[in-house]
Amino acid sequence: FAAAAGTARKVLASSPDNVDANVVLGSYLLERQQIDEALPYLQSSLDGDPDNCRGWLGLGLVQMYEQNIPAAITSIKKALSYTPRNAGTLVTLGWAYIAHEDLQLAEETFRYAIEVSPAFGEGHGGLATVLALAGREQEAREAIKKSRRLNKAGFGSAFALSILLEAGGKHDRAVQVLGNTFLQSPSADGIKLIEAIQIQARRASSKQGPVKPSLPEGL
């Protein structure tokens, strides 16, 4: 991915409107949590090619980072209109529905992702999270087992398991499970999940600005 980003930069140096190079570099910066830097490249790719599914997916992820979930869902669905059987995009939409607190649509989306790609562990992991949030413990545990058989390092299954452990009063174990997952990287040359969370937290804090202390009542 890093090598691809380097090539994209070289292309953009002589051809700044190249759609593919903008998509590649925007996606790379997005994975590195450089959200503000990624957005212009993704937007440029859509300006040059309004039907670019990767550009729409990237824009949807930016909107999720910005906590603009309705807009993110619209953008991700736009990406899916061009690649309706892309399991990775379906799973992303499923998590957007979870963020939107629509467990029914999230479940339907994850089940379709599994139908499209039964061996994609994150589809089962996302479904497990929905089931755990819905209090359907036995079904959630079955989905966790399937997800972990396919990908032991999957985030969805770890998140679902932490929900079940927390619900069962096993707080320390829930923290340990999530902690181990946060120390992993989703891709070979990507940053760790915990680093991504820290970057996002700093970014959100800087955008909010300094917090003004509240005055005592009556002053």
Side-chain angles (χ1 to χ4, degrees), residues 7-91:
T7 301
R9 289 186 190 277
K10 293 177 183 177
V11 172
L12 291 172
S14 59
S15 181
D17 295 326
N18 184 285
V19 171
D20 295 319
N22 275 292
V23 168
V24 169
L25 188 53
S27 299
Y28 173 75
L29 292 169
L30 187 59
E31 177 167 302
R32 305 297 299 181
Q33 301 290 302
Q34 295 173 247
I35 310 303
D36 296 328
E37 293 89 340
L39 183 57
Y41 293 105
L42 295 168
Q43 192 60 63
S44 180
S45 72
L46 290 172
D47 290 342
D49 178 14
D51 298 327
N52 192 287
C53 62
R54 295 293 301 179
W56 282 110
L57 177 59
L59 179 61
L61 289 170
V62 169
Q63 290 162 335
M64 284 185 70
Y65 282 115
E66 300 285 1
Q67 296 298 301
N68 189 353
I69 305 303
I73 290 172
T74 298
S75 295
I76 297 167
K77 288 174 73 173
K78 182 76 171 178
L80 277 170
S81 70
Y82 302 108
T83 56
R85 293 179 64 82
N86 185 296
T89 307
L90 284 165
V91 165

Coordinates of all heavy atoms in Angstrom, one line a residue, residues 7-91:
T7 N 3.8 5.7 -5.8 CA 3.5 5.8 -7.2 C 2.5 6.8 -7.5 O 2.6 7.5 -8.5 CB 3.2 4.4 -7.8 OG1 4.2 3.4 -7.5 CG2 2.9 4.4 -9.3
A8 N 1.4 6.8 -6.7 CA 0.3 7.7 -6.9 C 0.8 9.2 -6.8 O 0.4 10.0 -7.6 CB -0.8 7.5 -5.9
R9 N 1.6 9.4 -5.9 CA 2.2 10.8 -5.7 C 3.0 11.2 -7.0 O 2.9 12.4 -7.4 CB 3.1 10.9 -4.5 CG 2.3 10.8 -3.1 CD 3.3 11.0 -2.0 NE 2.7 10.7 -0.7 CZ 1.9 11.5 0.0 NH1 1.6 12.7 -0.5 NH2 1.4 11.2 1.2
K10 N 3.7 10.3 -7.5 CA 4.5 10.6 -8.7 C 3.6 10.9 -9.9 O 3.8 11.8 -10.7 CB 5.4 9.4 -9.1 CG 6.5 9.1 -8.1 CD 7.3 7.9 -8.5 CE 8.4 7.6 -7.4 NZ 9.2 6.4 -7.7
V11 N 2.5 10.1 -10.0 CA 1.5 10.4 -11.1 C 0.9 11.7 -10.9 O 0.7 12.5 -11.9 CB 0.4 9.3 -11.1 CG1 -0.7 9.6 -12.1 CG2 1.1 7.9 -11.5
L12 N 0.5 12.1 -9.7 CA -0.2 13.3 -9.4 C 0.7 14.5 -9.6 O 0.2 15.6 -9.9 CB -0.8 13.3 -8.0 CG -2.0 12.3 -7.8 CD1 -2.3 12.3 -6.3 CD2 -3.2 12.8 -8.6
A13 N 2.0 14.3 -9.5 CA 2.9 15.4 -9.7 C 2.8 16.0 -11.1 O 3.0 17.2 -11.4 CB 4.3 15.0 -9.4
S14 N 2.6 15.1 -12.1 CA 2.5 15.5 -13.5 C 1.0 15.5 -14.0 O 0.7 16.1 -15.0 CB 3.3 14.6 -14.3 OG 2.9 13.2 -14.2
S15 N 0.1 14.8 -13.3 CA -1.3 14.7 -13.7 C -2.2 14.8 -12.5 O -2.7 13.8 -12.0 CB -1.5 13.4 -14.5 OG -2.8 13.3 -14.9
P16 N -2.4 16.0 -11.9 CA -3.1 16.1 -10.6 C -4.5 15.7 -10.7 O -5.1 15.5 -9.6 CB -2.9 17.6 -10.3 CG -2.6 18.3 -11.6 CD -1.8 17.3 -12.4
D17 N -5.1 15.6 -11.9 CA -6.5 15.2 -11.9 C -6.7 13.7 -12.2 O -7.8 13.2 -12.4 CB -7.2 16.0 -13.0 CG -7.3 17.5 -12.7 OD1 -7.4 17.8 -11.5 OD2 -7.2 18.3 -13.7
N18 N -5.6 12.9 -12.2 CA -5.7 11.5 -12.5 C -6.6 10.8 -11.4 O -6.3 10.8 -10.2 CB -4.3 10.9 -12.5 CG -4.4 9.4 -12.9 OD1 -4.7 8.6 -12.1 ND2 -4.0 9.1 -14.1
V19 N -7.7 10.2 -11.9 CA -8.7 9.7 -10.9 C -8.1 8.5 -10.1 O -8.3 8.5 -8.9 CB -10.0 9.2 -11.7 CG1 -10.9 8.4 -10.8 CG2 -10.7 10.4 -12.3
D20 N -7.5 7.6 -10.8 CA -7.0 6.4 -10.1 C -5.9 6.8 -9.0 O -5.9 6.3 -7.9 CB -6.4 5.4 -11.1 CG -7.4 4.9 -12.0 OD1 -8.5 4.6 -11.5 OD2 -7.1 4.7 -13.2
A21 N -5.0 7.7 -9.4 CA -4.0 8.1 -8.4 C -4.6 8.8 -7.2 O -4.2 8.7 -6.1 CB -3.0 9.1 -9.1
N22 N -5.6 9.7 -7.5 CA -6.3 10.3 -6.4 C -7.0 9.3 -5.4 O -7.0 9.5 -4.2 CB -7.3 11.3 -6.9 CG -6.7 12.7 -7.2 OD1 -6.3 13.4 -6.3 ND2 -6.7 13.0 -8.5
V23 N -7.6 8.3 -6.0 CA -8.3 7.3 -5.2 C -7.3 6.5 -4.3 O -7.5 6.3 -3.1 CB -9.1 6.3 -6.1 CG1 -9.5 5.1 -5.3 CG2 -10.3 7.0 -6.7
V24 N -6.1 6.1 -5.0 CA -5.1 5.4 -4.2 C -4.5 6.2 -3.1 O -4.5 5.7 -1.9 CB -4.0 4.9 -5.2 CG1 -2.8 4.4 -4.4 CG2 -4.5 3.9 -6.2
L25 N -4.2 7.4 -3.4 CA -3.5 8.2 -2.3 C -4.6 8.6 -1.2 O -4.2 8.6 0.0 CB -2.9 9.5 -2.9 CG -2.1 10.3 -2.0 CD1 -1.0 9.5 -1.3 CD2 -1.4 11.5 -2.7
G26 N -5.8 8.9 -1.6 CA -6.8 9.2 -0.7 C -7.1 8.0 0.2 O -7.2 8.2 1.5
S27 N -7.2 6.8 -0.3 CA -7.4 5.6 0.4 C -6.3 5.3 1.4 O -6.5 4.9 2.5 CB -7.6 4.4 -0.5 OG -8.8 4.7 -1.3
Y28 N -5.0 5.5 0.9 CA -3.9 5.3 1.8 C -3.9 6.3 3.0 O -3.7 5.9 4.1 CB -2.6 5.5 1.0 CG -1.3 5.5 1.8 CD1 -0.8 4.3 2.2 CD2 -0.6 6.7 2.1 CE1 0.3 4.2 3.0 CE2 0.5 6.6 2.9 CZ 1.0 5.4 3.3 OH 2.1 5.4 4.1
L29 N -4.1 7.5 2.7 CA -4.2 8.5 3.8 C -5.3 8.2 4.8 O -5.2 8.4 6.0 CB -4.3 9.9 3.2 CG -3.1 10.4 2.4 CD1 -3.4 11.7 1.7 CD2 -1.9 10.7 3.4
L30 N -6.4 7.7 4.2 CA -7.6 7.4 5.1 C -7.2 6.3 6.0 O -7.5 6.3 7.2 CB -8.7 7.0 4.2 CG -10.1 6.7 4.8 CD1 -10.6 8.0 5.6 CD2 -11.1 6.3 3.8
E31 N -6.5 5.2 5.5 CA -6.1 4.1 6.4 C -5.1 4.6 7.4 O -5.1 4.1 8.5 CB -5.4 3.0 5.5 CG -4.9 1.9 6.4 CD -4.6 0.6 5.6 OE1 -5.5 0.1 5.0 OE2 -3.5 0.2 5.7
R32 N -4.3 5.6 7.1 CA -3.3 6.1 8.1 C -4.0 7.1 9.0 O -3.3 7.8 9.8 CB -2.2 6.8 7.3 CG -1.4 6.0 6.3 CD -0.8 4.8 6.9 NE 0.3 5.1 7.9 CZ 1.0 4.2 8.5 NH1 0.8 2.9 8.3 NH2 1.9 4.6 9.4
Q33 N -5.3 7.3 8.9 CA -6.0 8.2 9.8 C -5.7 9.7 9.5 O -6.0 10.5 10.4 CB -5.7 7.9 11.3 CG -6.1 6.5 11.7 CD -7.6 6.3 11.7 OE1 -8.3 6.9 12.4 NE2 -8.1 5.3 10.9
Q34 N -5.2 10.0 8.4 CA -5.0 11.3 8.0 C -6.2 11.8 7.2 O -6.2 12.0 6.0 CB -3.7 11.4 7.1 CG -2.4 11.1 7.9 CD -1.2 11.0 7.1 OE1 -0.6 10.0 6.8 NE2 -0.8 12.2 6.6
I35 N -7.3 12.0 7.9 CA -8.6 12.2 7.3 C -8.7 13.5 6.5 O -9.2 13.5 5.4 CB -9.7 12.2 8.4 CG1 -9.5 10.9 9.3 CG2 -11.1 12.2 7.8 CD1 -9.6 9.6 8.6
D36 N -8.2 14.6 7.1 CA -8.3 15.9 6.5 C -7.5 15.9 5.2 O -7.9 16.5 4.2 CB -7.9 17.0 7.4 CG -8.8 17.1 8.6 OD1 -10.0 16.8 8.5 OD2 -8.3 17.5 9.7
E37 N -6.4 15.2 5.2 CA -5.5 15.1 4.0 C -6.1 14.2 3.0 O -5.9 14.5 1.8 CB -4.1 14.6 4.4 CG -3.3 15.6 5.3 CD -3.6 15.3 6.8 OE1 -4.6 14.7 7.1 OE2 -2.7 15.7 7.6
A38 N -6.8 13.2 3.4 CA -7.4 12.2 2.4 C -8.6 12.8 1.6 O -8.7 12.5 0.4 CB -7.9 11.0 3.2
L39 N -9.4 13.6 2.3 CA -10.6 14.1 1.7 C -10.5 14.8 0.4 O -11.2 14.5 -0.6 CB -11.4 15.0 2.7 CG -12.7 15.5 2.2 CD1 -13.7 14.4 1.9 CD2 -13.4 16.4 3.3
P40 N -9.5 15.7 0.2 CA -9.4 16.4 -1.1 C -9.1 15.4 -2.3 O -9.6 15.6 -3.4 CB -8.2 17.4 -0.9 CG -8.2 17.6 0.6 CD -8.6 16.3 1.2
Y41 N -8.3 14.4 -2.0 CA -8.0 13.4 -3.0 C -9.2 12.6 -3.4 O -9.5 12.4 -4.6 CB -6.8 12.5 -2.6 CG -5.5 13.2 -2.4 CD1 -5.0 13.5 -1.2 CD2 -4.8 13.6 -3.5 CE1 -3.8 14.2 -1.0 CE2 -3.6 14.2 -3.4 CZ -3.1 14.5 -2.1 OH -1.9 15.2 -2.0
L42 N -10.0 12.2 -2.4 CA -11.2 11.4 -2.6 C -12.2 12.3 -3.4 O -12.9 11.8 -4.3 CB -11.8 10.9 -1.3 CG -10.9 9.9 -0.6 CD1 -11.4 9.7 0.8 CD2 -10.8 8.6 -1.3
Q43 N -12.3 13.5 -3.0 CA -13.3 14.4 -3.6 C -12.9 14.7 -5.1 O -13.7 14.7 -6.0 CB -13.4 15.8 -2.9 CG -14.6 16.6 -3.3 CD -15.9 15.9 -3.1 OE1 -16.3 15.6 -2.0 NE2 -16.6 15.7 -4.2
S44 N -11.6 14.8 -5.3 CA -11.1 15.0 -6.6 C -11.4 13.8 -7.5 O -11.7 14.0 -8.7 CB -9.6 15.3 -6.6 OG -9.1 15.5 -7.9
S45 N -11.2 12.7 -7.0 CA -11.5 11.4 -7.8 C -13.0 11.4 -8.2 O -13.3 11.0 -9.3 CB -11.2 10.2 -7.0 OG -12.1 10.0 -5.9
L46 N -13.9 11.9 -7.3 CA -15.3 11.9 -7.6 C -15.7 13.0 -8.6 O -16.6 12.9 -9.4 CB -16.2 12.0 -6.4 CG -16.1 10.7 -5.5 CD1 -16.8 11.0 -4.1 CD2 -16.8 9.6 -6.2
D47 N -14.9 14.1 -8.5 CA -15.1 15.2 -9.5 C -14.8 14.8 -10.9 O -15.4 15.1 -11.8 CB -14.2 16.4 -9.1 CG -14.7 17.1 -7.8 OD1 -15.9 16.9 -7.4 OD2 -13.9 17.8 -7.2
G48 N -13.7 13.9 -11.0 CA -13.3 13.4 -12.3 C -14.1 12.2 -12.7 O -14.2 12.0 -13.9
D49 N -14.7 11.5 -11.8 CA -15.4 10.3 -12.1 C -16.5 10.1 -11.1 O -16.3 9.4 -10.1 CB -14.5 9.1 -12.2 CG -15.2 7.8 -12.5 OD1 -16.4 7.8 -12.9 OD2 -14.7 6.7 -12.3
P50 N -17.7 10.7 -11.3 CA -18.8 10.6 -10.3 C -19.3 9.2 -10.1 O -20.0 8.9 -9.1 CB -19.9 11.4 -11.0 CG -19.2 12.3 -11.9 CD -18.0 11.5 -12.4
D51 N -18.9 8.2 -10.9 CA -19.3 6.8 -10.8 C -18.2 6.0 -10.1 O -18.2 4.7 -10.2 CB -19.7 6.2 -12.1 CG -20.9 7.0 -12.7 OD1 -21.8 7.4 -12.0 OD2 -20.9 7.1 -14.0
N52 N -17.2 6.6 -9.5 CA -16.1 5.8 -9.0 C -16.5 5.2 -7.6 O -16.6 5.9 -6.6 CB -14.9 6.7 -8.8 CG -13.6 6.0 -8.5 OD1 -13.4 5.5 -7.4 ND2 -12.8 5.8 -9.5
C53 N -16.6 3.9 -7.6 CA -17.1 3.3 -6.3 C -16.1 3.4 -5.2 O -16.5 3.6 -4.0 CB -17.4 1.8 -6.6 SG -16.0 0.8 -7.1
R54 N -14.8 3.4 -5.5 CA -13.8 3.5 -4.4 C -13.8 4.9 -3.8 O -13.6 5.1 -2.6 CB -12.4 3.2 -5.0 CG -12.2 1.7 -5.4 CD -12.3 0.8 -4.3 NE -11.3 1.0 -3.3 CZ -11.1 0.3 -2.2 NH1 -11.9 -0.7 -1.9 NH2 -10.2 0.5 -1.3
G55 N -14.1 5.9 -4.7 CA -14.2 7.2 -4.2 C -15.3 7.4 -3.3 O -15.2 8.1 -2.2
W56 N -16.5 6.8 -3.6 CA -17.7 6.9 -2.8 C -17.5 6.2 -1.5 O -17.9 6.7 -0.4 CB -18.9 6.4 -3.5 CG -19.5 7.3 -4.5 CD1 -19.5 7.2 -5.9 CD2 -20.2 8.6 -4.2 NE1 -20.1 8.3 -6.4 CE2 -20.5 9.1 -5.5 CE3 -20.5 9.2 -3.0 CZ2 -21.2 10.4 -5.5 CZ3 -21.2 10.4 -3.1 CH2 -21.5 11.0 -4.3
L57 N -16.8 5.0 -1.5 CA -16.5 4.3 -0.3 C -15.6 5.1 0.6 O -15.9 5.2 1.8 CB -15.9 3.0 -0.6 CG -15.5 2.1 0.7 CD1 -16.7 1.8 1.5 CD2 -14.8 0.8 0.2
G58 N -14.6 5.7 0.1 CA -13.7 6.5 0.8 C -14.4 7.7 1.5 O -14.2 8.0 2.6
L59 N -15.2 8.4 0.7 CA -16.0 9.5 1.2 C -16.9 9.1 2.3 O -17.0 9.8 3.4 CB -16.8 10.1 0.1 CG -17.7 11.3 0.5 CD1 -16.8 12.5 1.0 CD2 -18.6 11.8 -0.7
G60 N -17.5 7.9 2.2 CA -18.4 7.4 3.3 C -17.6 7.1 4.5 O -18.1 7.4 5.7
L61 N -16.4 6.6 4.4 CA -15.5 6.4 5.6 C -15.1 7.7 6.3 O -15.1 7.8 7.5 CB -14.3 5.6 5.2 CG -14.5 4.1 4.8 CD1 -13.3 3.5 4.2 CD2 -15.0 3.3 6.1
V62 N -14.8 8.7 5.5 CA -14.5 10.0 6.0 C -15.8 10.5 6.8 O -15.6 11.1 7.9 CB -14.2 11.1 4.9 CG1 -14.2 12.5 5.5 CG2 -12.8 10.7 4.3
Q63 N -16.9 10.4 6.2 CA -18.2 10.8 6.9 C -18.4 10.1 8.2 O -18.9 10.6 9.2 CB -19.3 10.7 5.9 CG -19.2 11.7 4.8 CD -20.1 11.4 3.6 OE1 -20.5 10.2 3.4 NE2 -20.5 12.4 2.9
M64 N -18.0 8.8 8.2 CA -18.2 8.0 9.5 C -17.2 8.6 10.5 O -17.6 8.7 11.7 CB -17.9 6.5 9.2 CG -19.1 5.8 8.5 SD -18.8 4.0 8.3 CE -18.9 3.5 10.1
Y65 N -16.0 8.9 10.1 CA -15.0 9.5 11.1 C -15.6 10.8 11.6 O -15.4 11.2 12.8 CB -13.7 9.7 10.4 CG -12.8 8.5 10.2 CD1 -12.5 8.0 9.0 CD2 -12.3 7.8 11.4 CE1 -11.7 6.9 8.8 CE2 -11.5 6.7 11.2 CZ -11.2 6.2 10.0 OH -10.4 5.1 9.8
E66 N -16.3 11.5 10.7 CA -16.8 12.8 11.1 C -18.1 12.7 11.9 O -18.8 13.7 12.3 CB -17.1 13.7 9.9 CG -15.9 14.0 9.1 CD -15.0 15.0 9.7 OE1 -15.3 15.5 10.8 OE2 -13.9 15.4 9.1
Q67 N -18.6 11.4 12.2 CA -19.8 11.1 12.9 C -21.0 11.6 12.1 O -22.1 11.8 12.7 CB -19.8 11.7 14.3 CG -18.7 11.1 15.2 CD -18.9 9.6 15.4 OE1 -19.9 9.2 15.9 NE2 -17.9 8.8 15.0
N68 N -20.9 11.8 10.8 CA -22.1 12.1 10.0 C -22.6 10.8 9.4 O -22.4 10.6 8.2 CB -21.7 13.1 8.9 CG -22.9 13.7 8.2 OD1 -24.0 13.2 8.4 ND2 -22.6 14.7 7.3
I69 N -23.3 10.0 10.2 CA -23.6 8.7 9.9 C -24.6 8.6 8.7 O -24.5 7.8 7.8 CB -24.1 7.9 11.1 CG1 -23.0 7.9 12.2 CG2 -24.4 6.4 10.7 CD1 -21.7 7.4 11.8
P70 N -25.7 9.4 8.7 CA -26.7 9.4 7.6 C -26.0 9.6 6.3 O -26.3 8.9 5.3 CB -27.7 10.5 8.0 CG -27.6 10.6 9.5 CD -26.2 10.4 9.8
A71 N -25.1 10.6 6.2 CA -24.4 10.9 5.0 C -23.5 9.8 4.6 O -23.4 9.4 3.4 CB -23.6 12.2 5.1
A72 N -22.8 9.1 5.6 CA -22.0 8.0 5.4 C -22.7 6.8 4.7 O -22.3 6.2 3.8 CB -21.3 7.6 6.6
I73 N -23.9 6.6 5.3 CA -24.7 5.5 4.8 C -25.1 5.7 3.3 O -25.0 4.8 2.5 CB -26.0 5.3 5.6 CG1 -25.6 4.7 7.0 CG2 -27.0 4.4 4.9 CD1 -26.8 4.7 8.0
T74 N -25.4 7.0 3.0 CA -25.8 7.3 1.6 C -24.6 7.1 0.7 O -24.7 6.5 -0.4 CB -26.2 8.8 1.5 OG1 -27.4 9.0 2.3 CG2 -26.5 9.2 0.1
S75 N -23.4 7.5 1.1 CA -22.2 7.4 0.3 C -21.8 5.9 0.1 O -21.5 5.5 -1.0 CB -21.0 8.2 0.9 OG -21.3 9.6 0.9
I76 N -21.9 5.1 1.2 CA -21.5 3.7 1.1 C -22.5 3.0 0.2 O -22.1 2.1 -0.6 CB -21.4 3.1 2.5 CG1 -20.3 3.8 3.3 CG2 -21.1 1.6 2.4 CD1 -20.4 3.5 4.8
K77 N -23.8 3.3 0.3 CA -24.8 2.7 -0.6 C -24.6 3.1 -2.0 O -24.8 2.3 -2.9 CB -26.2 3.1 -0.1 CG -26.6 2.4 1.2 CD -27.9 2.9 1.7 CE -29.1 2.4 0.9 NZ -30.4 2.8 1.5
K78 N -24.1 4.3 -2.2 CA -23.7 4.7 -3.6 C -22.6 3.8 -4.1 O -22.7 3.4 -5.3 CB -23.3 6.2 -3.6 CG -23.0 6.8 -5.0 CD -24.2 7.1 -5.8 CE -23.9 7.8 -7.0 NZ -25.1 8.1 -7.9
A79 N -21.6 3.6 -3.3 CA -20.5 2.7 -3.7 C -21.0 1.3 -4.1 O -20.7 0.7 -5.1 CB -19.5 2.6 -2.6
L80 N -22.0 0.8 -3.3 CA -22.5 -0.5 -3.5 C -23.4 -0.6 -4.7 O -23.6 -1.7 -5.3 CB -23.4 -0.9 -2.3 CG -22.6 -1.5 -1.1 CD1 -23.5 -1.7 0.1 CD2 -22.0 -2.9 -1.5
S81 N -23.9 0.6 -5.2 CA -24.7 0.5 -6.4 C -23.9 0.1 -7.6 O -24.4 -0.3 -8.6 CB -25.4 1.9 -6.6 OG -24.4 2.9 -7.0
Y82 N -22.6 0.3 -7.5 CA -21.7 -0.1 -8.6 C -21.1 -1.5 -8.4 O -20.7 -2.2 -9.3 CB -20.6 0.9 -8.7 CG -21.1 2.3 -9.0 CD1 -21.0 3.3 -8.0 CD2 -21.6 2.7 -10.2 CE1 -21.4 4.6 -8.3 CE2 -22.1 4.0 -10.5 CZ -22.0 4.9 -9.5 OH -22.5 6.2 -9.7
T83 N -20.9 -1.9 -7.1 CA -20.4 -3.2 -6.8 C -21.2 -3.8 -5.7 O -20.8 -4.0 -4.5 CB -18.9 -3.1 -6.3 OG1 -18.9 -2.2 -5.1 CG2 -18.0 -2.5 -7.3
P84 N -22.5 -4.3 -6.0 CA -23.4 -4.7 -5.0 C -23.0 -6.0 -4.3 O -23.6 -6.3 -3.2 CB -24.7 -4.9 -5.8 CG -24.2 -5.1 -7.3 CD -23.0 -4.3 -7.4
R85 N -22.1 -6.7 -4.8 CA -21.7 -7.9 -4.1 C -20.2 -7.9 -3.6 O -19.5 -8.9 -3.4 CB -21.8 -9.1 -5.1 CG -23.3 -9.4 -5.4 CD -23.4 -10.6 -6.4 NE -22.9 -11.8 -5.8 CZ -23.6 -12.6 -5.0 NH1 -24.9 -12.3 -4.7 NH2 -23.1 -13.8 -4.6
N86 N -19.8 -6.7 -3.2 CA -18.5 -6.5 -2.6 C -18.7 -6.7 -1.1 O -19.3 -5.8 -0.4 CB -18.0 -5.1 -2.9 CG -16.5 -4.9 -2.4 OD1 -16.3 -4.9 -1.2 ND2 -15.6 -4.7 -3.3
A87 N -18.1 -7.7 -0.5 CA -18.4 -8.1 0.9 C -17.8 -7.0 1.8 O -18.3 -6.7 2.8 CB -17.8 -9.5 1.2
G88 N -16.6 -6.5 1.5 CA -16.0 -5.5 2.3 C -16.8 -4.3 2.5 O -17.0 -3.7 3.6
T89 N -17.4 -3.8 1.3 CA -18.2 -2.6 1.4 C -19.5 -2.9 2.1 O -20.0 -2.1 2.9 CB -18.5 -2.1 -0.1 OG1 -17.3 -2.0 -0.8 CG2 -19.3 -0.8 0.0
L90 N -20.1 -4.1 2.0 CA -21.3 -4.5 2.7 C -21.0 -4.5 4.2 O -21.9 -4.0 5.0 CB -21.7 -5.9 2.2 CG -22.4 -6.0 0.9 CD1 -22.5 -7.4 0.4 CD2 -23.8 -5.4 1.0
V91 N -19.9 -5.0 4.6 CA -19.5 -5.0 6.1 C -19.4 -3.6 6.6 O -19.9 -3.3 7.7 CB -18.3 -5.8 6.3 CG1 -17.7 -5.6 7.7 CG2 -18.5 -7.3 6.1

